[in-house]
Amino acid sequence: MFDSGVGGLTVLKAFRQAFPTADIHYVGDTLHMPYGDKSPENIQDFSRKIARYLRNSGAELIVIACNSASSWAFEAVCQEADDIPVLDVVRPVVHYLAQQSDVNWVGLVGTRATVQSGIYPRLLKAIAPHIHIETLATPLLAPLVEEGIQLHDLNRILVRHYLQQMPLDQAQALVLACTHYPVLHDVFQELLGPQIQVLNPGQVLANQCKAQGMDFAGTGNLFCEVTEYTPAFEKTAERLLGYPISLQTVDLRS
Ligand code: DGL
C-alpha cells in the first residue's frame, strides 16, 4: 500500500479494520510529498518505483492509497505490478456513487493533480451519466494534515473557505478525493450538515473488498516505511491509527 505521506493511513486503517489478518507493507513517499502538485510524469515515475519495490518485497496485492497516483498512475502501477492485482481509491468511489439511486449531484474536493486529471467526471460519465459532479482543488489541506496540525478553528476556517467556493445546495454527497482529507471528515460533516454524505475513499474501498469476499491469511503485521523520515509522520500516524508505529526509511531513488 502506498501514498505520498500519512494520507494513505486512512486507507490502511479502514483496510485493517476490515481485514485484521492482512499483513501490510506501507510506503509513504514523504520525500516527494505532495504528489498533488507534481506533474503526471513525476507521479507516474514515483508510483512505478514504489510498485516495483513492493512487488519485489513479496506483495500479493498493491493498493494505491492515494488519489493523485490513482488518477495519473493506475496503468503505470498495473504494468509494474505485472501479474499482481492492483486496487486504487478512485474507481471504487465511482462505482459506489453509480449504485446509489438517491445520488444525482456530487461535490468533490481533491488535490490539483486529481482535479486536473478529470478522472472522476470522465469515469462517472461513462457509467452514471445522470450524476452531476462539481470538483474543486483544495491544495492547502494535505499539508495541514501531514503536519498534524490539530487547531480545530484553523481547520474549520480552511475547510469553510474551500466549501464556500462550491455550489453544493443540491448535493447529496461530497467525495473526499484525497486520502489525507478523511482526517478532517468531522469538520467537513459539521459544516455541510447531515443531509450530505461525506465519502472516505479508503472506507469505500475496504467495504467493496469485503463485499467481494476478499480475505487475507496473514497475521496482521504492519511494516511502515517512508522515503524521508519526518517526526510529523510518526506523530500523525500514531494519532490517526490510535497505536504507535515503528517507522523505517527506504531509499527508492536509484
Ligand atoms: N494523499 C494524496 C492523495 O490522495 C495527496 C497528498 C499529496 O498531495 O501528496 O491525492
Side-chain angles (χ1 to χ4, degrees):
M1 193 174 282
F2 73 93
D3 177 44
S4 60
V6 291
L9 295 177
T10 62
V11 183
L12 183 139
K13 188 176 182 178
F15 216 80
R16 276 194 118 193
Q17 272 161 6
F19 304 106
T21 59
D23 293 325
I24 303 183
H25 181 171
Y26 182 91
V27 176
D29 194 7
T30 42
L31 182 65
H32 299 120
M33 154 88 204
Y35 276 14
D37 293 332
K38 301 294 186 301
S39 66
E41 293 73 25
N42 276 330
I43 296 172
Q44 284 154 10
D45 184 44
F46 305 149
S47 301
R48 262 183 203 285
K49 283 188 177 137
I50 299 172
R52 192 176 314 147
Y53 172 62
L54 289 174
R55 190 196 59 202
N56 292 340
S57 307
E60 291 163 10
L61 167 72
I62 294 179
V63 179
I64 309 175
C66 170
N67 274 264
S68 310
S70 298
S71 301
W72 285 107
F74 182 69
E75 286 77 13
V77 170
C78 288
Q79 267 173 15
E80 207 58 59
D82 201 10
D83 54 343
I84 301 166
V86 177
L87 296 175
D88 77 320
V89 283
V90 170
R91 284 143 189 94
V93 172
V94 171
H95 285 285
Y96 172 83
L97 289 170
Q99 283 161 3
Q100 307 309 302
S101 53
D102 55 341
V103 171
N104 58 33
W105 220 106
V106 172
L108 177 145
V109 285
T111 63
R112 284 196 185 97
T114 297
V115 169
Q116 283 168 6
S117 76
I119 191 161
Y120 281 89
R122 202 164 57 244
L123 294 180
L124 268 178
K125 197 171 169 199
I127 63 166
H130 62 285
I131 299 183
H132 173 87
I133 182 162
E134 288 285 331
T135 63
L136 182 73
T138 52
L140 286 174
L141 299 183
L144 185 81
V145 170
E146 192 75 20
E147 277 301 313
I149 293 173
Q150 288 188 71
L151 300 171
H152 186 68
D153 291 348
L154 178 62
N155 295 347
R156 259 180 80 96
I157 288 169
L158 271 178
V159 171
R160 182 187 287 126
H161 161 75
Y162 284 130
L163 288 178
Q164 278 169 347
Q165 299 172 42
M166 298 191 86
L168 292 173
D169 335 349
Q170 299 176 61
Q172 295 92 20
L174 179 82
V175 180
L176 301 182
C178 168
T179 52
H180 280 70
Y181 302 176
V183 173
L184 303 169
H185 178 280
D186 293 352
V187 181
F188 274 99
Q189 193 72 73
E190 188 187 319
L191 289 168
L192 289 169
Q195 70 286 359
I196 297 185
Q197 200 185 148
V198 179
L199 289 179
N200 169 352
Q203 193 61 57
V204 173
L205 171 70
N207 292 348
Q208 283 182 16
C209 291
K210 196 81 192 165
Q212 283 164 17
M214 262 187 199
D215 207 3
F216 298 88
T219 51
N221 273 336
L222 174 60
F223 181 48
C224 227
E225 289 181 309
V226 282
T227 49
E228 184 160 82
Y229 178 80
T230 70
F233 186 107
E234 218 160 9
K235 260 208 259 150
T236 308
E238 185 168 343
R239 192 161 47 80
L240 206 151
L241 295 173
Y243 46 82
I245 54 160
S246 126
L247 195 58
Q248 313 288 321
T249 48
V250 59
D251 187 349
L252 299 177
R253 279 171 296 181
S254 57

Short mmCIF file of all heavy atoms in Angstrom, two decimals, residues 24 27 39 47 51-52 58 67 87 91 135 158 161 163 171 174 183 195 208 215-216 219 234 236 251:
data_model
loop_
_atom_site.label_atom_id
_atom_site.label_comp_id
_atom_site.label_asym_id
_atom_site.label_seq_id
_atom_site.Cartn_x
_atom_site.Cartn_y
_atom_site.Cartn_z
N ILE A 24 0.49 -5.94 6.14
CA ILE A 24 0.56 -4.76 5.26
C ILE A 24 1.94 -4.11 5.30
O ILE A 24 2.51 -3.86 6.36
CB ILE A 24 -0.52 -3.72 5.64
CG1 ILE A 24 -1.92 -4.36 5.57
CG2 ILE A 24 -0.45 -2.52 4.71
CD1 ILE A 24 -3.07 -3.42 5.86
N VAL A 27 4.20 2.16 2.27
CA VAL A 27 5.27 3.12 1.93
C VAL A 27 4.66 4.52 1.79
O VAL A 27 3.72 4.73 1.01
CB VAL A 27 5.98 2.73 0.60
CG1 VAL A 27 7.01 3.80 0.22
CG2 VAL A 27 6.67 1.38 0.73
N SER A 39 3.91 16.88 -11.60
CA SER A 39 3.44 16.60 -12.96
C SER A 39 3.01 15.14 -13.06
O SER A 39 3.48 14.29 -12.28
CB SER A 39 4.58 16.84 -13.96
OG SER A 39 5.59 15.87 -13.73
N SER A 47 5.41 6.44 -8.57
CA SER A 47 4.50 5.32 -8.31
C SER A 47 5.07 4.01 -8.85
O SER A 47 4.97 2.96 -8.21
CB SER A 47 3.13 5.58 -8.95
OG SER A 47 2.58 6.77 -8.44
N ALA A 51 5.84 0.69 -6.73
CA ALA A 51 5.18 -0.57 -7.11
C ALA A 51 6.21 -1.67 -7.34
O ALA A 51 6.04 -2.81 -6.90
CB ALA A 51 4.33 -0.35 -8.36
N ARG A 52 7.31 -1.31 -8.00
CA ARG A 52 8.38 -2.29 -8.26
C ARG A 52 8.94 -2.79 -6.95
O ARG A 52 9.15 -3.98 -6.74
CB ARG A 52 9.48 -1.60 -9.09
CG ARG A 52 10.50 -2.57 -9.67
CD ARG A 52 11.49 -1.82 -10.55
NE ARG A 52 10.81 -0.89 -11.46
CZ ARG A 52 11.33 0.29 -11.86
NH1 ARG A 52 12.50 0.69 -11.44
NH2 ARG A 52 10.64 1.07 -12.69
N GLY A 58 7.59 -8.88 -2.20
CA GLY A 58 6.69 -10.03 -2.00
C GLY A 58 5.22 -9.69 -1.88
O GLY A 58 4.43 -10.55 -1.47
N ASN A 67 -5.15 9.36 -4.12
CA ASN A 67 -6.00 9.73 -5.26
C ASN A 67 -5.18 10.27 -6.42
O ASN A 67 -5.50 10.02 -7.58
CB ASN A 67 -7.01 10.79 -4.84
CG ASN A 67 -8.26 10.18 -4.25
OD1 ASN A 67 -9.25 9.98 -4.94
ND2 ASN A 67 -8.22 9.84 -2.98
N LEU A 87 -5.30 -2.34 -6.71
CA LEU A 87 -6.53 -1.64 -6.36
C LEU A 87 -6.20 -0.17 -6.19
O LEU A 87 -5.07 0.18 -5.81
CB LEU A 87 -7.11 -2.18 -5.05
CG LEU A 87 -7.57 -3.63 -5.06
CD1 LEU A 87 -8.02 -4.05 -3.67
CD2 LEU A 87 -8.71 -3.82 -6.06
N ARG A 91 -11.63 4.36 -8.56
CA ARG A 91 -12.65 3.53 -9.21
C ARG A 91 -13.71 3.01 -8.24
O ARG A 91 -14.92 3.03 -8.58
CB ARG A 91 -11.97 2.41 -10.01
CG ARG A 91 -11.36 2.97 -11.32
CD ARG A 91 -10.04 2.33 -11.71
NE ARG A 91 -9.41 3.04 -12.83
CZ ARG A 91 -8.49 4.00 -12.68
NH1 ARG A 91 -8.13 4.43 -11.47
NH2 ARG A 91 -7.95 4.58 -13.73
N THR A 135 -16.14 19.80 -9.10
CA THR A 135 -14.86 19.46 -8.46
C THR A 135 -14.10 20.74 -8.07
O THR A 135 -14.21 21.77 -8.73
CB THR A 135 -13.98 18.62 -9.40
OG1 THR A 135 -13.66 19.40 -10.56
CG2 THR A 135 -14.68 17.35 -9.84
N LEU A 158 -10.20 26.87 7.04
CA LEU A 158 -9.74 26.43 5.71
C LEU A 158 -10.80 25.62 4.98
O LEU A 158 -11.06 25.85 3.79
CB LEU A 158 -8.48 25.58 5.86
CG LEU A 158 -7.18 26.36 5.85
CD1 LEU A 158 -6.00 25.42 6.05
CD2 LEU A 158 -7.02 27.10 4.53
N HIS A 161 -13.52 27.91 3.87
CA HIS A 161 -13.03 28.73 2.76
C HIS A 161 -13.20 27.98 1.44
O HIS A 161 -13.67 28.53 0.44
CB HIS A 161 -11.55 29.06 3.00
CG HIS A 161 -10.80 29.50 1.79
ND1 HIS A 161 -10.95 30.75 1.25
CD2 HIS A 161 -9.91 28.85 1.00
CE1 HIS A 161 -10.17 30.85 0.17
NE2 HIS A 161 -9.54 29.70 0.00
N LEU A 163 -15.22 25.19 0.92
CA LEU A 163 -16.61 24.79 0.66
C LEU A 163 -17.44 25.96 0.11
O LEU A 163 -18.36 25.76 -0.68
CB LEU A 163 -17.26 24.23 1.93
CG LEU A 163 -16.77 22.84 2.36
CD1 LEU A 163 -17.44 22.41 3.66
CD2 LEU A 163 -17.02 21.80 1.26
N ALA A 171 -26.40 19.05 -3.60
CA ALA A 171 -25.58 17.83 -3.49
C ALA A 171 -26.10 16.84 -2.46
O ALA A 171 -26.61 17.23 -1.42
CB ALA A 171 -24.15 18.23 -3.14
N LEU A 174 -20.41 14.43 -0.87
CA LEU A 174 -19.13 15.12 -1.13
C LEU A 174 -18.04 14.06 -1.04
O LEU A 174 -17.91 13.36 -0.03
CB LEU A 174 -18.86 16.21 -0.09
CG LEU A 174 -17.52 16.93 -0.33
CD1 LEU A 174 -17.65 18.02 -1.40
CD2 LEU A 174 -16.96 17.54 0.94
N VAL A 183 -9.07 12.67 7.60
CA VAL A 183 -8.67 13.14 8.93
C VAL A 183 -9.54 14.35 9.32
O VAL A 183 -9.79 14.60 10.50
CB VAL A 183 -7.16 13.52 8.94
CG1 VAL A 183 -6.74 14.18 10.23
CG2 VAL A 183 -6.31 12.27 8.66
N GLN A 195 -27.35 16.13 5.84
CA GLN A 195 -28.00 15.71 4.60
C GLN A 195 -27.00 15.38 3.48
O GLN A 195 -27.36 14.78 2.47
CB GLN A 195 -29.04 16.75 4.13
CG GLN A 195 -28.52 18.07 3.63
CD GLN A 195 -27.99 19.00 4.75
OE1 GLN A 195 -28.03 18.67 5.94
NE2 GLN A 195 -27.47 20.15 4.36
N GLN A 208 -15.93 -2.44 -0.27
CA GLN A 208 -16.12 -3.20 -1.52
C GLN A 208 -15.29 -4.49 -1.52
O GLN A 208 -15.75 -5.53 -1.98
CB GLN A 208 -15.78 -2.33 -2.72
CG GLN A 208 -16.91 -1.37 -3.02
CD GLN A 208 -16.67 -0.49 -4.23
OE1 GLN A 208 -15.80 -0.76 -5.06
NE2 GLN A 208 -17.43 0.58 -4.33
N ASP A 215 -10.09 -12.06 1.22
CA ASP A 215 -9.60 -12.47 2.54
C ASP A 215 -8.08 -12.51 2.51
O ASP A 215 -7.50 -12.68 1.44
CB ASP A 215 -10.18 -13.84 2.90
CG ASP A 215 -10.27 -14.00 4.40
OD1 ASP A 215 -9.94 -13.02 5.11
OD2 ASP A 215 -10.64 -15.08 4.86
N PHE A 216 -7.47 -12.34 3.65
CA PHE A 216 -6.01 -12.33 3.72
C PHE A 216 -5.58 -13.21 4.88
O PHE A 216 -5.95 -12.96 6.03
CB PHE A 216 -5.49 -10.91 3.93
CG PHE A 216 -5.85 -9.99 2.79
CD1 PHE A 216 -7.05 -9.30 2.81
CD2 PHE A 216 -5.01 -9.85 1.70
CE1 PHE A 216 -7.42 -8.47 1.75
CE2 PHE A 216 -5.36 -9.03 0.64
CZ PHE A 216 -6.57 -8.34 0.67
N THR A 219 -0.93 -12.49 9.54
CA THR A 219 -1.02 -12.40 11.00
C THR A 219 -1.25 -10.96 11.45
O THR A 219 -1.06 -10.62 12.62
CB THR A 219 0.27 -12.95 11.65
OG1 THR A 219 1.38 -12.31 11.02
CG2 THR A 219 0.37 -14.45 11.50
N GLU A 234 5.44 10.28 12.07
CA GLU A 234 5.28 9.31 13.16
C GLU A 234 4.16 9.75 14.11
O GLU A 234 3.32 8.96 14.52
CB GLU A 234 6.59 9.20 13.92
CG GLU A 234 6.89 7.80 14.35
CD GLU A 234 8.37 7.60 14.66
OE1 GLU A 234 9.13 8.60 14.71
OE2 GLU A 234 8.75 6.44 14.86
N THR A 236 1.63 11.98 13.56
CA THR A 236 0.30 11.99 12.94
C THR A 236 -0.20 10.56 12.76
O THR A 236 -1.38 10.27 12.97
CB THR A 236 0.34 12.72 11.58
OG1 THR A 236 0.95 13.99 11.78
CG2 THR A 236 -1.03 12.92 10.98
N ASP A 251 15.30 4.07 0.64
CA ASP A 251 15.75 4.93 -0.45
C ASP A 251 15.37 4.28 -1.78
O ASP A 251 15.90 3.23 -2.13
CB ASP A 251 17.28 5.09 -0.33
CG ASP A 251 17.80 6.11 -1.32
OD1 ASP A 251 17.02 6.54 -2.22
OD2 ASP A 251 18.97 6.50 -1.21
#
